[in-house]
Amino acid sequence: MPTGCAAAGSVEEYLSCWRGPLELRLGKAVGKALAEHDRASYFLTTKVPSRTSASSAFADTSKDLAADLEQLGLSYVDLMLVHFPPVGNTLHCAAMQEQWRALETFYRAKKARAIGVSNYCQSSLRCIARAANVTPAVNQIKYHIGMGPDPIGLRSYGDRLGIVTQAYSPLGDGTGELISGALVTGIGA
């Protein structure tokens, strides 16, 4: 596996590490491995990439959602996320709203037990809220003890809307400071 792809949060991310003829076979292999387990025994989260074109965001996202299920060989996922807002998010609000509409359609079709976002800031959440019928269940963000209790107020903002904050990198960014630094070793002393 290429460097930087030791772990992946979604089929799309994982497969982006393997461009070429292995891409589809690898997605199907992940699905085959999952098929060997009772579906109720695991919680599966996957992600689709963001879109910047309002005119094609719904259709493109719908295709991405269907492709994830096809590659996994599943009829539903537990949590489907939009991986990140588009760069210059306030310039692409209509695209974010159309993309969210595609996730809502996917959710209503019972192809996801919950839908959410990843790396969304308050302005991105406000954008989709203006057109949303379903509030994101989750906002998955980089969040760890070294960042303080509520960096930039995003966790409390989500709490007010009923959006669960899910941390990635809960033990920090890979440096030893969070685990072996003065804060943690002082608490443990």
Side-chain angles (χ1 to χ4, degrees):
M1 179 178 281
T3 303
C5 294
S10 72
V11 171
E12 176 265 325
E13 285 178 281
Y14 189 71
L15 296 179
S16 70
C17 297
W18 295 89
R19 292 290 172 216
L22 287 178
E23 191 170 343
L24 184 58
R25 287 197 337 240
L26 193 54
K28 292 196 182 289
V30 170
K32 183 178 177 185
L34 292 174
E36 295 174 7
H37 300 279
D38 175 21
R39 180 62 183 92
S41 71
Y42 60 89
F43 187 95
L44 180 67
T45 301
T46 190
K47 302 174 185 174
V48 293
S50 64
R51 299 294 176 179
T52 57
S53 170
S55 64
S56 63
F58 181 87
D60 290 345
T61 300
S62 296
K63 288 176 190 170
D64 292 337
L65 295 166
D68 265 14
L69 288 182
E70 181 182 340
Q71 288 173 349
L72 291 167
L74 297 173
S75 60
Y76 75 95
V77 295
D78 296 293
L79 176 60
M80 178 61 76
L81 302 174
V82 176
H83 190 194
F84 50 86
V87 175
N89 61 343
T90 56
L91 301 173
H92 302 292
C93 184
M96 287 191 289
Q97 291 170 341
E98 284 299 296
Q99 182 160 43
W100 188 251
R101 187 169 68 88
L103 263 77
E104 289 180 331
T105 300
F106 191 74
Y107 172 74
R108 282 193 301 276
K110 301 198 182 307
K111 294 180 180 181
R113 292 178 54 208
I115 53 176
V117 294
S118 182
N119 300 303
Y120 271 50
C121 61
Q122 290 181 30
S123 65
S124 296
L125 291 169
R126 279 192 299 271
C127 164
I128 63 172
R130 288 194 294 270
N133 292 307
V134 177
T135 300
V138 170
N139 186 10
Q140 184 186 72
I141 59 171
K142 182 175 181 178
Y143 184 55
H144 56 74
I145 192 168
M147 298 172 76
D150 192 9
I152 63 171
L154 190 53
R155 188 185 57 92
S156 57
Y157 180 77
D159 287 349
R160 285 193 303 276
L161 298 174
I163 301 171
V164 173
T165 298
Q166 181 183 48
Y168 69 80
S169 298
L171 298 178
D173 59 6
T175 65
E177 180 61 28
L178 184 62
I179 300 300
S180 61
L183 175 66
V184 173
T185 55
I187 291 170

